[in-house]
Amino acid sequence: MALMAWNDNMSVNIKLVDGQHMKLVELLNEFHDAVKAGSARGHRHEHQALTKRTREINQRFIKGDIVTNSETLIFLRDWLTTHILGSDKKYGPFLNSKGVY
């Protein structure tokens, strides 16, 4: 089942832009299918953990605690690397099989 359906109300009446928007809707729906087909619950948990950690860093900053740029950047670099190479990479074959490259 599609997450989002294109309809004429979304049209900006510019063929090129509408075509790009339609493609984005199509890709969103294919990604949605991939997430449902994969371990969506675990994947969602990873994103929730990222959100929680970044909120914690932000709260420390707001309270005036020392939050170093390097600490934040290293955390984000490590999380993105692990997430992309671990979780997100698993979606590649599925999306490729749907013609998404």
Side-chain angles (χ1 to χ4, degrees):
M1 181 176 176
L3 178 66
M4 180 179 184
W6 173 265
N7 65 63
D8 290 336
N9 290 331
M10 296 174 167
S11 175
V12 297
N13 293 318
I14 302 170
K15 188 182 260 188
L16 177 67
V17 175
D18 284 347
Q20 292 170 345
H21 290 166
M22 286 180 206
K23 183 65 176 176
L24 287 171
V25 169
E26 177 186 334
L27 292 172
L28 171 67
N29 288 324
E30 289 179 2
F31 182 70
H32 179 252
D33 290 344
V35 169
K36 287 192 322 189
S39 58
R41 190 173 290 157
H43 196 94
R44 188 173 306 123
H45 176 73
E46 290 178 23
H47 283 259
Q48 289 170 341
L50 169 66
T51 301
K52 180 182 178 197
R53 178 75 172 117
T54 54
R55 284 185 179 148
E56 289 169 356
I57 292 169
N58 188 49
Q59 286 302 314
R60 286 178 43 212
F61 177 77
I62 290 170
K63 288 189 331 189
D65 294 346
I66 296 174
V67 179
T68 65
N69 289 339
S70 61
E71 172 191 3
T72 304
L73 291 172
I74 289 168
F75 162 71
L76 291 171
R77 180 203 61 201
D78 292 348
W79 189 90
L80 281 170
T81 300
T82 302
H83 185 75
I84 290 168
L85 293 176
S87 299
D88 287 348
K89 197 143 177 103
K90 294 174 187 172
Y91 294 112
F94 175 81
L95 291 170
N96 291 162
S97 75
K98 300 289 186 181
V100 178
Y101 295 96

